[in-house]
Amino acid sequence: MTDVLLSSDTGGVRTLTLNRPHRKNAIDPELWKALRGALVGAAEDPTVRSLVLTGAGGAFSSGADLKAGTADTRHPLDKVRDLNEVAVLLHELPLPTVAKVTGVAVGAGWNLALGCDLVVATPESRFSQIFTRRGLSPDCGGSWLLPRLVGLQQAKRLALLAEMIDAEEARTLNLVTWVVPAEQIDGFVAELGERLASGPPVALAQTKALLHESGTLREALAAEARAQAVNFATADVPEAYAAFAEKREPHFTGRWYRQPPPEDTTCAKQ
């Protein structure tokens, strides 16, 4: 793992830390590449059950590093493709994800946080869709995420005016899940990551996909039926039933559950 992105595992929780504190974790091409590799690695590692994304040095991320971008001679579409790949990988990651936001999260940095399933911030956190102040429009999925989270009118306000808002307003707008004191956020997120990591991995992945892909009611019902068929093929369902009957906590593994075939009594009857 490159120095610009730190990775650590605690139990089934993997924490990825953006590590360019001297630039408030502005994301340069090297960090975009590292993020892409880290997300692919997390998706392919069966020991990883949940993922936390955070930043070093008291900031989450000040967005794409425009200064570093000027030294990148590739076509702008090639540069944006790096952002797009990371946004899709994060959105489609078959793991529950948590953004732990301290300090600023602006531009593409904020949209990375919004791409996570849950967002935890401190009262000191600040957020902005800063793009228009830079003569740009939203990227890293912001134009898709914002209207779905806050509605079209508030999304336009945030994107067009590029205002800086605080954590409490972000929570009121459903852009932050929890606001907790700075001295408590590490423990809060650690416990949250553990809770998610202890859940049924297949069912969590199916649930996340259903919520992301829901269309009409009929389409959602059909997708739910397919997802339940997948869930019933795991050992987690009988484990949950057994744990309920035995009044204990279930131990979920996501393991494929193969029932023995029914006994063939044809020969016995002959």
Side-chain angles (χ1 to χ4, degrees):
M1 183 65 63
T2 176
D3 289 343
V4 299
L5 183 68
L6 307 179
S7 178
S8 62
D9 289 1
T10 303
V13 184
R14 177 161 296 174
T15 299
L16 300 179
T17 304
L18 311 178
N19 189 39
R20 300 186 75 230
H22 61 292
R23 297 284 293 164
K24 292 187 177 179
N25 301 316
I27 311 172
D28 65 356
E30 182 184 5
L31 183 46
W32 284 118
K33 183 179 179 181
L35 268 173
R36 182 188 184 281
L39 292 173
V40 171
E44 295 177 347
D45 189 338
T47 68
V48 180
R49 300 277 291 269
S50 68
L51 184 135
V52 174
L53 183 63
T54 191
F60 184 80
S61 173
S62 57
D65 192 331
L66 300 181
K67 183 177 180 180
T70 60
D72 189 344
T73 59
R74 294 178 299 162
H75 191 283
L77 286 177
D78 292 326
K79 299 177 187 179
V80 173
R81 189 174 294 118
D82 291 344
L83 281 68
N84 293 348
E85 288 181 353
V86 169
V88 170
L89 283 167
L90 182 61
H91 179 74
E92 295 182 349
L93 195 69
L95 304 167
T97 55
V98 179
K100 181 171 75 172
V101 179
T102 58
V104 296
V106 301
W110 189 12
N111 290 336
L112 272 181
L114 294 178
C116 293
D117 302 318
L118 303 167
V119 180
V120 185
T122 69
E124 296 77 23
S125 302
R126 296 293 182 269
F127 305 87
S128 175
Q129 292 288 318
I130 203 167
F131 300 97
T132 58
R133 294 192 193 179
R134 306 291 184 258
L136 299 169
S137 51
D139 57 26
C140 205
S143 64
W144 188 89
L145 290 162
L146 281 173
R148 285 159 176 77
L149 291 167
V150 303
L152 183 58
Q153 191 170 74
Q154 287 294 341
K156 287 179 178 178
R157 169 212 158 187
L158 293 167
L160 296 176
L161 296 177
E163 298 170 326
M164 187 75 75
I165 65 173
D166 62 24
E168 190 54 41
E169 183 173 3
R171 189 194 63 79
T172 301
L173 290 170
N174 295 323
L175 296 167
V176 164
T177 321
W178 295 280
V179 178
V180 300
E183 63 273 14
Q184 297 177 17
I185 192 170
D186 289 347
F188 184 94
V189 172
E191 181 182 1
L192 178 61
E194 291 171 2
R195 287 172 59 193
L196 293 168
S198 66
V202 174
L204 290 177
Q206 294 293 312
T207 300
K208 179 173 175 176
L210 285 170
L211 294 173
H212 283 175
E213 299 166 9
S214 59
T216 66
L217 175 59
R218 287 183 179 275
E219 290 169 340
L221 290 169
E224 288 173 359
R226 291 191 294 270
Q228 293 294 42
V230 172
N231 294 328
F232 276 110
T234 71
D236 289 343
V237 174
E239 165 62 11
Y241 290 177
F244 176 76
E246 297 165 12
K247 295 182 172 56
R248 61 173 175 81
E249 289 297 314
H251 175 64
F252 294 122
T253 64
R255 182 174 56 85
W256 178 43
Y257 178 63
R258 184 177 181 182
Q259 292 181 316
E263 182 180 354
D264 187 354
T265 59
T266 305
C267 292
K269 293 180 179 179
Q270 293 177 353

